[in-house]
Amino acid sequence: MKRVFSGVQPTGNIHLGNYLGALRQFVELQEEYQCLYCIVDLHAITVPQDPKELRKHILDVAALYLAVGVDPKKSIVFVQSDVPGHSELGWILTCSSYTGELSRMTQFKAKSHNKASAPAGLFTYPVLMAADILLYDTDVVPVGTDQKQHIELCRDLAIRVNNTRKKTFVVPEGRYLKAGARIMSLDDPSKKMSKSAENIHSRISLLDEPSKIKKSIMKATTDSEGIIRFDKEEKPGLSNLINIYSALSDKTVDDIVAMYEGKGYGDFKKDLVEITVDALAPIKERFDEIRSSQELIDILEDGAEKANAIAEKTMARVKDNFGLGLK
Ligand code: AMP
Ligand code: TRP
């Protein structure tokens, strides 16, 4: 079976964009691939984190993976720092990377922009991400298009090592999401929905209460035309809402436009509230159950054990090909 690896950072506010863009895809891939889904806590500390909050967010994201339908009987769910191979391979790959290529990463440029100095971890973060992927001989990496440059770097590093040493790594492929899966901010449809935006009504978090969902959708930016049609250029706010409606209801954009012919934004938004609340209610219910159970810890411990077993084999091969250690 071919192998899939992906990771989500343990920060709060996992939102509808994360769900439609990434988590939901994770669930589908389980049928066809051996999947490893990681909570990448070592990535999270590239920016300051409160230790108590970080632990809480690790368990929140793990419980959300399971609540949306990641099945621990089929997939390996684990916490990155529970597998030492990530840091170990991260260092080895750092020695095969160039500062030039790392300075070209747009995410680093964006995050360090206007800062007098940036943590070195923010600079080498894409190398750690490459280590995450190569550690498991991964074939396919499902991620948003925002990660494309990091996946390309990972492939370059794998090919570079394979060409200068014995063949050591499987060269992975990115699997990018469809354009429609990019969910925009509700208050400003020119930006993507994000975990860190200040306005809580810019996003719908997966654990939002129905009253909050209603408020955010009813407040969402639209336009004054009053006609329900899909036009990303002229009507980006409404088009984003139609996209969300379509993704949560399995109706096509054309179906939706036809359904609301002659109706106003109020009717459309009211229905979207209902669809969203209905889609998220079972997730929240399962989340509450799983989050407070011992089972969650057992699943993560079991996942770490299985991940370690694969990682140790890769690390033995890597050390051998680099001549590190005694054997
Ligand atoms: P992040 O929120 O940056 O940790 O991303 C976690 C995963 O969700 C990645 O695969 C992202 O590409 C995806 N993602 C984040 N924000 C959005 C969005 N607004 N729409 C679609 N996918 C997203
Ligand atoms: N960098 C990714 C993000 O911010 C998270 C991530 C870390 C990841 N390691 C990974 C994704 C390995 C896929 C594979 O979304």
Side-chain angles (χ1 to χ4, degrees):
M1 235 180 175
K2 287 201 163 189
R3 209 171 266 161
V4 158
F5 182 99
S6 197
V8 173
Q9 296 204 32
T11 43
N13 301 328
I14 301 278
H15 53 70
L16 213 50
N18 297 129
Y19 175 54
L20 297 174
L23 295 180
R24 198 158 77 165
Q25 193 182 201
F26 292 180
V27 177
E28 287 162 19
L29 289 167
Q30 296 183 109
E31 308 307 323
E32 260 181 83
Y33 295 88
Q34 183 192 24
C35 300
L36 290 110
Y37 295 129
C38 185
I39 298 121
V40 289
D41 56 348
L42 293 170
H43 282 267
I45 60 167
T46 51
V47 296
Q49 296 285 346
D50 174 75
K52 276 212 190 89
E53 285 290 297
L54 183 57
R55 281 259 161 88
K56 176 180 170 294
H57 288 148
I58 289 172
L59 294 175
D60 285 350
V61 172
L64 264 181
Y65 272 152
L66 303 175
V68 301
V70 170
D71 179 354
K73 289 195 194 74
K74 294 183 189 147
S75 302
I76 302 177
V77 183
F78 70 106
V79 181
Q80 185 184 27
S81 63
D82 282 341
V83 180
H86 292 262
S87 308
E88 215 178 351
L89 185 57
W91 172 252
I92 294 171
L93 291 173
T94 301
C95 297
S96 294
S97 322
Y98 299 117
T99 52
E101 61 192 351
L102 297 183
S103 11
R104 283 194 291 276
M105 295 290 129
T106 52
Q107 197 176 64
F108 170 72
K109 285 199 265 190
K111 288 197 176 178
S112 60
H113 184 65
N114 281 340
K115 295 212 175 88
S117 87
L122 210 51
F123 186 64
T124 56
Y125 156 117
V127 185
L128 181 61
M129 177 163 163
D132 298 340
I133 296 165
L134 300 180
L135 190 57
Y136 300 99
D137 293 334
T138 302
D139 299 289
V140 179
V141 188
V143 273
T145 44
D146 55 332
Q147 298 298 317
K148 198 165 185 171
Q149 208 186 14
H150 296 160
I151 302 290
E152 289 306 314
L153 176 81
C154 173
R155 289 169 52 85
D156 288 348
L157 290 175
I159 293 167
R160 185 176 305 154
V161 171
N162 286 349
N163 286 343
T164 50
R165 321 252 163 197
K166 268 200 290 198
K167 183 176 178 313
T168 306
F169 296 121
V170 172
V171 181
E173 305 270 346
R175 186 182 140 132
Y176 304 104
L177 308 159
K178 288 171 271 175
R182 192 172 152 88
I183 304 299
M184 310 312 283
S185 244
L186 299 182
D187 64 339
D188 176 359
S190 69
K191 298 197 184 114
K192 70 171 195 174
M193 188 177 281
S194 101
K195 291 170 177 170
S196 54
E198 234 164 74
N199 180 3
I200 58 164
H201 293 297
S202 70
R203 66 183 157 258
I204 293 171
S205 294
L206 290 192
L207 303 175
D208 276 349
E209 296 296 338
S211 58
K212 153 72 176 64
I213 295 174
K214 182 171 179 197
K215 201 159 176 197
S216 303
I217 291 178
M218 296 318 280
K219 276 165 95 80
T221 303
T222 50
D223 54 77
S224 55
E225 190 191 43
I227 297 171
I228 303 210
R229 58 185 186 86
F230 190 86
D231 182 339
K232 265 191 167 165
E233 301 302 317
E234 297 293 324
K235 298 162 77 74
L238 189 74
S239 301
N240 184 43
L241 296 180
I242 296 177
N243 255 335
I244 295 175
Y245 193 126
S246 166
L248 290 177
S249 66
D250 290 330
K251 288 196 171 62
T252 66
V253 167
D254 290 345
D255 292 342
I256 296 166
V257 170
M259 274 166 61
Y260 288 93
E261 207 188 313
K263 294 193 179 159
Y265 295 168
D267 290 329
F268 169 80
K269 281 184 164 181
K270 239 185 267 161
D271 291 349
L272 180 58
V273 170
E274 198 178 307
I275 286 169
T276 310
V277 168
D278 287 350
L280 298 189
I283 295 178
K284 179 150 167 47
E285 200 175 307
R286 280 197 297 272
F287 174 87
D288 288 337
E289 212 172 285
I290 297 163
R291 180 63 174 80
S292 54
S293 71
Q294 173 60 32
E295 196 196 348
L296 179 62
I297 309 293
D298 295 344
I299 288 169
L300 292 174
E301 282 176 357
D302 180 57
E305 205 173 299
K306 288 181 179 146
N308 254 311
I310 305 172
E312 278 168 13
K313 279 196 198 139
T314 312
M315 285 315 297
R317 187 175 75 225
V318 170
K319 284 183 176 170
D320 201 33
N321 290 355
F322 279 77
L324 292 163
L326 292 178
K327 68 171 182 67

